[in-house]
Amino acid sequence: MPAQQPPVSVIMPVLNEEHYLRDSVRHILEQEYAGEMEVVIALGPSTDRTDEIAAELVAEDPRVHTVPNPTGRTPAALNAAIKASRHPIVVRVDGHGMLSPNYIATAVRLLEETGAQNVGGIMHAEGQNSWEEAVAAAMTSKIGVGNAKFHTGGEAGPAETVYLGVFRRAALEQAGGYNEEFIRAQDWELNFRIREAGGLIWFSPELKVQYRPRRSVRALGKQYKDYGRWRHVVARYHAGSINVRYLAPPTLVCAITAGVVVGAALTPFGFAVPAGYLAAIALGSVPAGKGLSLKARAQIPVALATMHMCWGYGFLTSPRALAEKVIASRRPMAHRDPSQV
């Protein structure tokens, strides 16, 4: 490790993260990094002990600061934290993400080696109980998320998007920051704009962030419905940004719905479509659940179906008016204000 490395700002949007915030910040402050570091936590209107824990972290370490995010929206939080931060390299971390020990040092090295504007790696989902383990297995399997490298891994190289990201501040400011109308998909949308401006987004399996999955079927369903809903907004906002992988879930929802209708109204052969899907996810869950408990393995098909169906439903029901509102609202982000640090 070099004697001195460039200073970095770590930005964190948080809302109701009492279960993970302290551990997440600890994983940042204990990084094997020989440069100056600050952590800027953007606090949404939490209803749990998040604000109290954040205040404790500020009192315990002078490198930690907080800024308000009254809207509670993730992209607004990220922009507020960027504005309040001061270093040339910006590291995005979520309140339930745990950085690997050399994450920041590796990312800074990759920025220099590749010339990229943003580098990122794998969303390494890990569960703490059988349901979370099932979701983690689904989220890291190709039957669950297709060929998305930041979920399943792969060779280093240029990418459409990466998980979280370590950015050059200049690239963020040139792009105008995050679009605050994107409740979800704000990372993909920002990376799209960076690429459109000629910037390089770089994926590397060397970078891993431990991720805690949603704690219930309902929470997972809402998460993936929002993913699908906002991915359709991106597709309408940036023409030509859609691909086959994103069309698979809504196509699946339509096919299964049609199969059930045909099976109920015309011929039992229609039920072959939903039956085939159930068989596919049951078989696909076998390799995905290798090494897990029987209870966890049994829940993988439930996690897969929840992810697929809710993502597809969200995509299909995403209103065009939402995309039109987003398109009309775009405005540049103000540069940082050092007095707020």
Side-chain angles (χ1 to χ4, degrees):
M1 183 179 290
Q4 187 65 33
Q5 293 175 297
V8 300
S9 298
V10 182
I11 59 172
M12 299 182 68
V14 300
L15 179 69
N16 294 326
E17 292 287 3
E18 67 175 359
H19 295 289
Y20 304 121
L21 179 58
R22 179 169 287 279
D23 276 350
S24 183
V25 172
R26 177 176 59 81
H27 278 77
I28 297 167
L29 298 176
E30 294 179 356
Q31 284 287 296
E32 298 170 1
Y33 191 71
E36 185 180 351
M37 181 192 303
E38 66 174 352
V39 181
V40 183
I41 304 172
L43 296 172
S46 295
T47 56
D48 62 7
R49 294 185 60 251
T50 296
D51 287 9
E52 181 182 336
I53 293 168
E56 293 171 357
L57 292 167
V58 170
E60 293 165 6
D61 197 303
R63 293 174 291 178
V64 181
H65 315 280
T66 62
V67 292
N69 173 36
T71 70
R73 291 184 172 187
T74 298
L78 290 166
N79 282 345
I82 292 167
K83 185 179 178 182
S85 64
R86 56 196 174 93
H87 294 318
I89 295 174
V90 178
V91 182
R92 180 187 167 177
V93 182
D94 282 342
H96 47 272
M98 314 293 165
L99 300 185
S100 51
N102 61 348
Y103 179 90
I104 293 178
T106 301
V108 170
R109 171 176 60 80
L110 289 171
L111 281 174
E112 182 175 351
E113 290 178 355
T114 65
Q117 304 304 307
N118 179 22
V119 300
I122 296 174
M123 179 182 180
H124 186 62
E126 288 189 1
Q128 295 180 308
N129 55 45
S130 60
W131 166 250
E132 291 180 2
E133 288 174 349
V135 176
M139 292 179 70
T140 54
S141 66
K142 289 190 175 181
I143 192 173
V145 294
N147 62 351
K149 283 186 177 182
F150 68 87
H151 280 297
T152 61
E155 294 183 359
E160 287 186 345
T161 192
V162 290
Y163 181 53
L164 302 180
V166 177
F167 300 82
R168 299 180 191 272
R169 176 183 293 277
L172 286 172
E173 294 184 342
Q174 180 182 3
Y178 290 86
N179 188 324
E180 296 188 8
E181 295 299 324
F182 278 89
I183 307 301
R184 296 281 188 180
Q186 64 273 154
D187 297 297
W188 201 102
E189 195 276 334
L190 172 62
N191 285 317
F192 182 90
R193 284 187 281 117
I194 291 174
R195 288 188 289 108
E196 285 287 282
L200 174 65
I201 310 298
W202 188 265
F203 167 83
S204 174
E206 294 182 75
L207 299 172
K208 288 186 178 181
V209 180
Q210 189 181 84
Y211 170 84
R212 300 296 190 209
R214 295 298 191 269
R215 308 174 93 188
S216 68
V217 175
R218 182 176 180 179
L220 181 68
K222 183 181 184 306
Q223 177 187 19
Y224 271 77
K225 184 188 75 172
D226 287 346
Y227 282 166
R229 177 185 178 95
W230 285 94
R231 188 61 189 81
H232 203 167
V233 173
V234 174
R236 286 168 168 157
Y237 187 70
H238 294 296
S241 66
I242 201 69
N243 62 38
V244 174
R245 178 165 68 88
Y246 296 116
L247 294 176
T251 301
L252 184 62
V253 170
C254 290
I256 289 175
T257 301
V260 171
V261 170
V262 170
L266 299 175
T267 171
F269 288 111
F271 291 118
V273 177
Y277 170 71
L278 292 175
I281 61 173
L283 289 172
S285 69
V286 175
K290 186 177 180 181
L292 298 181
S293 68
L294 180 61
K295 186 176 181 182
R297 293 200 303 269
Q299 295 180 89
I300 294 175
V302 178
L304 288 170
T306 301
M307 291 161 56
H308 294 160
M309 295 298 102
C310 292
W311 203 104
Y313 176 79
F315 188 94
L316 290 169
T317 59
S318 181
R320 182 174 293 275
L322 182 58
E324 292 172 351
K325 177 184 176 184
V326 171
I327 291 168
S329 68
R330 182 66 185 144
R331 55 188 179 276
M333 181 190 77
H335 286 212
R336 66 182 174 89
D337 181 356
S339 68
Q340 295 188 21
V341 177

Short mmCIF file of all heavy atoms in Angstrom, two decimals, residues 299-339:
data_model
loop_
_atom_site.label_atom_id
_atom_site.label_comp_id
_atom_site.label_asym_id
_atom_site.label_seq_id
_atom_site.Cartn_x
_atom_site.Cartn_y
_atom_site.Cartn_z
N GLN A 299 -37.09 -22.28 0.61
CA GLN A 299 -37.66 -20.94 0.41
C GLN A 299 -37.10 -20.22 -0.81
O GLN A 299 -37.60 -19.15 -1.18
CB GLN A 299 -37.42 -20.08 1.66
CG GLN A 299 -38.14 -20.60 2.89
CD GLN A 299 -37.88 -19.74 4.12
OE1 GLN A 299 -38.57 -18.77 4.38
NE2 GLN A 299 -36.84 -20.08 4.87
N ILE A 300 -36.10 -20.80 -1.47
CA ILE A 300 -35.52 -20.14 -2.65
C ILE A 300 -36.54 -19.98 -3.76
O ILE A 300 -36.63 -18.89 -4.37
CB ILE A 300 -34.27 -20.90 -3.14
CG1 ILE A 300 -33.15 -20.82 -2.09
CG2 ILE A 300 -33.77 -20.32 -4.47
CD1 ILE A 300 -31.91 -21.63 -2.43
N PRO A 301 -37.36 -21.00 -4.09
CA PRO A 301 -38.38 -20.78 -5.14
C PRO A 301 -39.34 -19.64 -4.81
O PRO A 301 -39.77 -18.90 -5.71
CB PRO A 301 -39.11 -22.13 -5.22
CG PRO A 301 -38.13 -23.12 -4.72
CD PRO A 301 -37.35 -22.41 -3.65
N VAL A 302 -39.67 -19.47 -3.53
CA VAL A 302 -40.55 -18.36 -3.13
C VAL A 302 -39.85 -17.02 -3.40
O VAL A 302 -40.47 -16.08 -3.93
CB VAL A 302 -40.92 -18.47 -1.64
CG1 VAL A 302 -41.80 -17.29 -1.22
CG2 VAL A 302 -41.62 -19.79 -1.36
N ALA A 303 -38.58 -16.95 -3.05
CA ALA A 303 -37.82 -15.72 -3.30
C ALA A 303 -37.72 -15.43 -4.80
O ALA A 303 -37.91 -14.30 -5.24
CB ALA A 303 -36.43 -15.83 -2.68
N LEU A 304 -37.43 -16.45 -5.59
CA LEU A 304 -37.31 -16.27 -7.04
C LEU A 304 -38.62 -15.79 -7.65
O LEU A 304 -38.64 -14.84 -8.45
CB LEU A 304 -36.89 -17.60 -7.69
CG LEU A 304 -35.45 -18.05 -7.47
CD1 LEU A 304 -35.26 -19.49 -7.97
CD2 LEU A 304 -34.47 -17.12 -8.19
N ALA A 305 -39.72 -16.45 -7.28
CA ALA A 305 -41.03 -16.06 -7.83
C ALA A 305 -41.39 -14.63 -7.42
O ALA A 305 -41.93 -13.86 -8.22
CB ALA A 305 -42.10 -17.04 -7.37
N THR A 306 -41.10 -14.28 -6.18
CA THR A 306 -41.39 -12.92 -5.70
C THR A 306 -40.60 -11.89 -6.50
O THR A 306 -41.16 -10.87 -6.94
CB THR A 306 -41.03 -12.80 -4.20
OG1 THR A 306 -41.79 -13.75 -3.46
CG2 THR A 306 -41.33 -11.40 -3.69
N MET A 307 -39.33 -12.14 -6.71
CA MET A 307 -38.48 -11.22 -7.48
C MET A 307 -38.97 -11.08 -8.92
O MET A 307 -39.16 -9.97 -9.42
CB MET A 307 -37.03 -11.70 -7.44
CG MET A 307 -36.38 -11.59 -6.07
SD MET A 307 -34.91 -12.64 -5.88
CE MET A 307 -33.89 -12.11 -7.26
N HIS A 308 -39.19 -12.21 -9.58
CA HIS A 308 -39.60 -12.18 -10.99
C HIS A 308 -40.97 -11.53 -11.19
O HIS A 308 -41.13 -10.62 -12.03
CB HIS A 308 -39.66 -13.61 -11.54
CG HIS A 308 -38.35 -14.30 -11.61
ND1 HIS A 308 -38.22 -15.67 -11.69
CD2 HIS A 308 -37.07 -13.81 -11.61
CE1 HIS A 308 -36.95 -15.99 -11.73
NE2 HIS A 308 -36.23 -14.89 -11.68
N MET A 309 -41.94 -12.00 -10.42
CA MET A 309 -43.31 -11.52 -10.62
C MET A 309 -43.46 -10.05 -10.24
O MET A 309 -44.12 -9.27 -10.93
CB MET A 309 -44.29 -12.37 -9.80
CG MET A 309 -44.37 -13.84 -10.23
SD MET A 309 -44.96 -14.06 -11.93
CE MET A 309 -43.40 -14.39 -12.78
N CYS A 310 -42.85 -9.65 -9.14
CA CYS A 310 -43.01 -8.27 -8.69
C CYS A 310 -42.25 -7.30 -9.59
O CYS A 310 -42.74 -6.20 -9.88
CB CYS A 310 -42.56 -8.14 -7.24
SG CYS A 310 -43.66 -9.00 -6.07
N TRP A 311 -41.06 -7.70 -10.06
CA TRP A 311 -40.31 -6.85 -10.99
C TRP A 311 -41.12 -6.69 -12.27
O TRP A 311 -41.30 -5.57 -12.78
CB TRP A 311 -38.97 -7.49 -11.31
CG TRP A 311 -37.90 -6.54 -11.79
CD1 TRP A 311 -36.84 -6.08 -11.08
CD2 TRP A 311 -37.77 -5.98 -13.12
NE1 TRP A 311 -36.07 -5.25 -11.86
CE2 TRP A 311 -36.61 -5.18 -13.11
CE3 TRP A 311 -38.52 -6.07 -14.28
CZ2 TRP A 311 -36.18 -4.47 -14.24
CZ3 TRP A 311 -38.10 -5.36 -15.41
CH2 TRP A 311 -36.94 -4.58 -15.39
N GLY A 312 -41.62 -7.81 -12.81
CA GLY A 312 -42.40 -7.74 -14.04
C GLY A 312 -43.67 -6.93 -13.89
O GLY A 312 -44.02 -6.13 -14.76
N TYR A 313 -44.38 -7.12 -12.76
CA TYR A 313 -45.60 -6.37 -12.50
C TYR A 313 -45.30 -4.88 -12.39
O TYR A 313 -46.02 -4.04 -12.95
CB TYR A 313 -46.26 -6.88 -11.22
CG TYR A 313 -47.49 -6.09 -10.83
CD1 TYR A 313 -48.71 -6.30 -11.45
CD2 TYR A 313 -47.41 -5.12 -9.82
CE1 TYR A 313 -49.85 -5.56 -11.09
CE2 TYR A 313 -48.53 -4.38 -9.45
CZ TYR A 313 -49.75 -4.61 -10.10
OH TYR A 313 -50.85 -3.88 -9.75
N GLY A 314 -44.24 -4.53 -11.69
CA GLY A 314 -43.87 -3.13 -11.56
C GLY A 314 -43.54 -2.50 -12.90
O GLY A 314 -43.93 -1.35 -13.17
N PHE A 315 -42.86 -3.24 -13.76
CA PHE A 315 -42.51 -2.74 -15.08
C PHE A 315 -43.76 -2.50 -15.91
O PHE A 315 -43.92 -1.46 -16.55
CB PHE A 315 -41.59 -3.74 -15.78
CG PHE A 315 -41.00 -3.25 -17.08
CD1 PHE A 315 -39.75 -2.66 -17.11
CD2 PHE A 315 -41.69 -3.40 -18.28
CE1 PHE A 315 -39.20 -2.21 -18.30
CE2 PHE A 315 -41.16 -2.95 -19.48
CZ PHE A 315 -39.91 -2.36 -19.49
N LEU A 316 -44.67 -3.48 -15.89
CA LEU A 316 -45.89 -3.40 -16.71
C LEU A 316 -46.83 -2.29 -16.26
O LEU A 316 -47.55 -1.70 -17.07
CB LEU A 316 -46.61 -4.74 -16.69
CG LEU A 316 -45.92 -5.89 -17.44
CD1 LEU A 316 -46.60 -7.21 -17.11
CD2 LEU A 316 -45.92 -5.65 -18.95
N THR A 317 -46.88 -2.02 -14.97
CA THR A 317 -47.83 -1.05 -14.44
C THR A 317 -47.22 0.33 -14.22
O THR A 317 -47.89 1.23 -13.70
CB THR A 317 -48.42 -1.55 -13.12
OG1 THR A 317 -47.35 -1.77 -12.17
CG2 THR A 317 -49.20 -2.86 -13.32
N SER A 318 -45.97 0.51 -14.61
CA SER A 318 -45.32 1.81 -14.44
C SER A 318 -46.01 2.85 -15.33
O SER A 318 -46.04 2.71 -16.55
CB SER A 318 -43.84 1.72 -14.82
OG SER A 318 -43.20 2.96 -14.65
N PRO A 319 -46.61 3.89 -14.74
CA PRO A 319 -47.38 4.85 -15.55
C PRO A 319 -46.49 5.75 -16.40
O PRO A 319 -45.46 6.22 -15.95
CB PRO A 319 -48.14 5.66 -14.50
CG PRO A 319 -47.31 5.56 -13.27
CD PRO A 319 -46.66 4.20 -13.31
N ARG A 320 -46.93 5.98 -17.63
CA ARG A 320 -46.19 6.87 -18.52
C ARG A 320 -46.09 8.28 -17.93
O ARG A 320 -45.08 8.98 -18.13
CB ARG A 320 -46.88 6.93 -19.89
CG ARG A 320 -46.15 7.80 -20.90
CD ARG A 320 -46.79 7.70 -22.28
NE ARG A 320 -46.62 6.37 -22.83
CZ ARG A 320 -45.54 5.96 -23.51
NH1 ARG A 320 -44.53 6.79 -23.67
NH2 ARG A 320 -45.48 4.75 -23.99
N ALA A 321 -47.11 8.68 -17.18
CA ALA A 321 -47.10 10.02 -16.57
C ALA A 321 -45.92 10.19 -15.62
O ALA A 321 -45.40 11.31 -15.46
CB ALA A 321 -48.41 10.26 -15.84
N LEU A 322 -45.48 9.10 -14.98
CA LEU A 322 -44.35 9.18 -14.07
C LEU A 322 -43.08 9.52 -14.84
O LEU A 322 -42.29 10.38 -14.42
CB LEU A 322 -44.18 7.86 -13.32
CG LEU A 322 -43.06 7.79 -12.29
CD1 LEU A 322 -43.25 8.86 -11.22
CD2 LEU A 322 -43.02 6.41 -11.64
N ALA A 323 -42.88 8.87 -15.99
CA ALA A 323 -41.72 9.17 -16.81
C ALA A 323 -41.77 10.59 -17.34
O ALA A 323 -40.75 11.29 -17.40
CB ALA A 323 -41.62 8.18 -17.97
N GLU A 324 -42.95 11.03 -17.73
CA GLU A 324 -43.10 12.40 -18.24
C GLU A 324 -42.76 13.42 -17.17
O GLU A 324 -42.15 14.47 -17.44
CB GLU A 324 -44.53 12.60 -18.76
CG GLU A 324 -44.82 11.78 -20.02
CD GLU A 324 -46.28 11.82 -20.42
OE1 GLU A 324 -47.09 12.35 -19.62
OE2 GLU A 324 -46.61 11.33 -21.51
N LYS A 325 -43.15 13.14 -15.93
CA LYS A 325 -42.83 14.03 -14.81
C LYS A 325 -41.32 14.09 -14.59
O LYS A 325 -40.76 15.16 -14.36
CB LYS A 325 -43.53 13.53 -13.54
CG LYS A 325 -43.19 14.34 -12.30
CD LYS A 325 -43.84 13.73 -11.06
CE LYS A 325 -43.40 14.50 -9.81
NZ LYS A 325 -43.94 13.86 -8.57
N VAL A 326 -40.67 12.94 -14.67
CA VAL A 326 -39.22 12.88 -14.48
C VAL A 326 -38.51 13.65 -15.58
O VAL A 326 -37.57 14.41 -15.33
CB VAL A 326 -38.75 11.41 -14.44
CG1 VAL A 326 -37.24 11.32 -14.46
CG2 VAL A 326 -39.28 10.72 -13.18
N ILE A 327 -38.94 13.44 -16.82
CA ILE A 327 -38.31 14.12 -17.95
C ILE A 327 -38.41 15.64 -17.80
O ILE A 327 -37.47 16.38 -18.09
CB ILE A 327 -38.96 13.67 -19.27
CG1 ILE A 327 -38.61 12.20 -19.55
CG2 ILE A 327 -38.52 14.55 -20.44
CD1 ILE A 327 -39.42 11.57 -20.65
N ALA A 328 -39.55 16.10 -17.30
CA ALA A 328 -39.79 17.54 -17.17
C ALA A 328 -39.04 18.17 -16.00
O ALA A 328 -38.90 19.39 -15.93
CB ALA A 328 -41.28 17.80 -17.01
N SER A 329 -38.53 17.35 -15.08
CA SER A 329 -38.00 17.90 -13.84
C SER A 329 -36.48 18.01 -13.81
O SER A 329 -35.92 18.48 -12.83
CB SER A 329 -38.43 17.01 -12.67
OG SER A 329 -37.78 15.75 -12.76
N ARG A 330 -35.80 17.54 -14.84
CA ARG A 330 -34.34 17.48 -14.79
C ARG A 330 -33.72 18.86 -14.58
O ARG A 330 -34.03 19.81 -15.28
CB ARG A 330 -33.80 16.87 -16.09
CG ARG A 330 -32.29 16.71 -16.12
CD ARG A 330 -31.83 15.69 -15.08
NE ARG A 330 -30.38 15.63 -15.03
CZ ARG A 330 -29.69 15.44 -13.91
NH1 ARG A 330 -30.32 15.29 -12.77
NH2 ARG A 330 -28.40 15.38 -13.92
N ARG A 331 -32.83 18.96 -13.61
CA ARG A 331 -32.12 20.22 -13.38
C ARG A 331 -30.74 19.90 -12.83
O ARG A 331 -30.53 18.89 -12.16
CB ARG A 331 -32.88 21.09 -12.38
CG ARG A 331 -33.18 20.42 -11.05
CD ARG A 331 -34.11 21.29 -10.21
NE ARG A 331 -34.43 20.66 -8.95
CZ ARG A 331 -35.39 19.77 -8.77
NH1 ARG A 331 -36.12 19.39 -9.79
NH2 ARG A 331 -35.64 19.25 -7.59
N PRO A 332 -29.75 20.76 -13.07
CA PRO A 332 -28.38 20.48 -12.63
C PRO A 332 -28.23 20.55 -11.12
O PRO A 332 -28.95 21.26 -10.44
CB PRO A 332 -27.55 21.57 -13.31
CG PRO A 332 -28.52 22.68 -13.53
CD PRO A 332 -29.84 22.02 -13.80
N MET A 333 -27.28 19.77 -10.61
CA MET A 333 -26.98 19.76 -9.18
C MET A 333 -26.01 20.89 -8.85
O MET A 333 -25.06 21.13 -9.59
CB MET A 333 -26.36 18.41 -8.80
CG MET A 333 -26.02 18.30 -7.31
SD MET A 333 -25.02 16.82 -6.95
CE MET A 333 -23.42 17.38 -7.54
N ALA A 334 -26.23 21.56 -7.74
CA ALA A 334 -25.30 22.58 -7.30
C ALA A 334 -24.01 21.94 -6.84
O ALA A 334 -24.00 20.83 -6.33
CB ALA A 334 -25.92 23.38 -6.14
N HIS A 335 -22.89 22.64 -7.03
CA HIS A 335 -21.61 22.11 -6.56
C HIS A 335 -21.56 22.18 -5.04
O HIS A 335 -22.35 22.86 -4.38
CB HIS A 335 -20.46 22.90 -7.18
CG HIS A 335 -20.26 22.57 -8.64
ND1 HIS A 335 -19.04 22.59 -9.25
CD2 HIS A 335 -21.16 22.20 -9.60
CE1 HIS A 335 -19.15 22.26 -10.53
NE2 HIS A 335 -20.44 22.02 -10.76
N ARG A 336 -20.60 21.51 -4.47
CA ARG A 336 -20.52 21.39 -3.02
C ARG A 336 -20.35 22.76 -2.35
O ARG A 336 -19.80 23.70 -2.94
CB ARG A 336 -19.36 20.48 -2.63
CG ARG A 336 -17.99 21.02 -2.98
CD ARG A 336 -16.89 20.04 -2.59
NE ARG A 336 -15.58 20.48 -3.04
CZ ARG A 336 -14.79 21.25 -2.34
NH1 ARG A 336 -15.17 21.70 -1.17
NH2 ARG A 336 -13.61 21.61 -2.80
N ASP A 337 -20.78 22.84 -1.14
CA ASP A 337 -20.63 24.06 -0.32
C ASP A 337 -19.73 23.71 0.87
O ASP A 337 -20.16 23.07 1.82
CB ASP A 337 -22.00 24.52 0.17
CG ASP A 337 -21.89 25.79 1.00
OD1 ASP A 337 -20.76 26.25 1.26
OD2 ASP A 337 -22.95 26.32 1.41
N PRO A 338 -18.42 24.08 0.82
CA PRO A 338 -17.50 23.69 1.89
C PRO A 338 -17.95 24.13 3.27
O PRO A 338 -17.60 23.51 4.28
CB PRO A 338 -16.19 24.37 1.48
CG PRO A 338 -16.33 24.61 0.00
CD PRO A 338 -17.77 24.88 -0.22
N SER A 339 -18.73 25.20 3.37
CA SER A 339 -19.15 25.69 4.68
C SER A 339 -20.08 24.72 5.39
O SER A 339 -20.28 24.82 6.58
CB SER A 339 -19.85 27.04 4.51
OG SER A 339 -21.09 26.90 3.83
#
